[in-house]
Amino acid sequence: MTQHVLFIVTNAAVIGPHNRKTGFFFAEVAHPFDVLDKAGIAVEFASPAGGWTPYDAYDESDPAQKEFLESKAFRRLNHSRKLSEVDAADYDAILVPGGLGPMVDIQRNADVQKAIERAWSTGKLVTAVCHGPCALLSVDLGDGTPFVRGKKLTSFSKKEEYDYARDDVPYELEDALRAEGAEYSSASNWEPHVIVDGRLITGQNPASAGPLGKELVAALRRAAVPA
């Protein structure tokens, strides 16, 4: 039986006081998609507003990115479903890619929070990479406890942000996750780093997107085996 993963992607094309061009970080969709697609796992796309999803940092020298740009999946992405009209429980996992765009319209978004709560409460996998873990902020499962409290995770680090977009983001994601009680860790700047904590899988940066996809495939295969 085919398994399905829902990517929740930003609609934000600019961020910050300097109107920095942004969107989703292209590799953070293309690399996990490549891994999932080759594993025979279906991917669908949703966004807060539906429709067009702007992107940033496309690298035409990367075969996986070039292949994705030319794919039917990329065309589907640009006609993404409106998240409020999607039930996360219909999927085996959700994945929130990064880029700076999520810090505009994914973080503390009621529909995104509902999707995470719905996926988690129905036993599905929740995954996010780079700035994507901002989706986990202010999520609770009904008892007022922050979703991330006590969970091992990672995201784009404060050290990485210092040289990348410190003047453009509204807050430091690492600090915000720690403030809600997450057991945060990171590797060296721009090095792959993925943390699996039960059904929560997070990656630190663009280099972590492909490895996160591989961990997600492994987790989906485990979930598909009858107990």
Side-chain angles (χ1 to χ4, degrees):
M1 183 178 295
T2 302
Q3 293 174 297
H4 295 76
V5 175
L6 179 69
F7 282 42
I8 300 175
V9 184
T10 181
N11 297 111
V14 295
I15 186 171
H18 308 295
N19 292 318
R20 177 172 175 157
K21 178 185 177 294
T22 189
F24 67 85
F25 203 91
F26 205 89
E28 294 171 20
V29 172
H31 287 178
F33 175 83
D34 182 59
V35 173
L36 293 164
D37 187 55
K38 287 176 178 172
I41 295 164
V43 173
E44 293 187 29
F45 303 99
S47 60
W52 180 63
T53 55
Y55 63 85
D56 191 16
Y58 171 67
D59 180 2
E60 65 179 5
S61 69
D62 178 354
Q65 292 189 49
K66 188 173 187 295
E67 184 175 343
F68 182 68
L69 184 70
E70 297 169 353
S71 69
K72 293 177 182 177
F74 181 72
R75 294 200 296 274
R76 292 201 311 274
L77 170 58
N78 281 287
H79 295 87
S80 62
R81 299 180 65 186
K82 190 173 182 179
L83 185 58
S84 62
E85 299 172 357
V86 175
D87 186 348
D90 292 338
Y91 301 86
D92 298 283
I94 58 176
L95 189 156
V96 186
L100 296 178
M103 297 288 279
V104 177
D105 66 347
I106 295 287
Q107 59 96 26
R108 298 187 172 95
N109 177 290
D111 292 324
V112 175
Q113 292 171 345
K114 181 180 177 181
I116 292 168
E117 293 160 8
R118 180 76 168 143
W120 194 260
S121 65
T122 54
K124 309 304 169 62
L125 297 158
V126 172
T127 71
V129 62
C130 199
H131 288 87
C134 72
L136 307 176
L137 294 170
S138 300
V139 173
D140 76 72
L141 301 178
D143 62 358
T145 302
F147 173 77
V148 300
R149 182 176 294 174
K151 289 185 171 65
K152 297 179 176 65
L153 55 72
T154 189
S155 73
F156 202 62
S157 72
K158 196 171 180 178
K159 292 181 296 181
E160 288 168 318
E161 201 75 271
Y162 185 86
D163 292 323
Y164 182 66
R166 184 177 58 169
D167 294 335
D168 301 296
V169 294
Y171 54 85
E172 292 287 355
L173 180 53
E174 175 184 335
D175 288 348
L177 290 164
R178 289 183 185 276
E180 292 194 6
E183 295 184 17
Y184 179 93
S185 69
S186 62
S188 299
N189 287 8
W190 306 101
E191 291 297 314
H193 183 57
V194 176
I195 294 180
V196 180
D197 187 0
R199 290 185 287 117
L200 178 65
I201 306 173
T202 50
Q204 180 176 330
N205 48 32
S208 308
L212 179 138
K214 292 177 182 178
E215 291 289 355
L216 176 52
V217 167
L220 287 167
R221 287 177 172 159
R222 289 192 298 269
V225 176

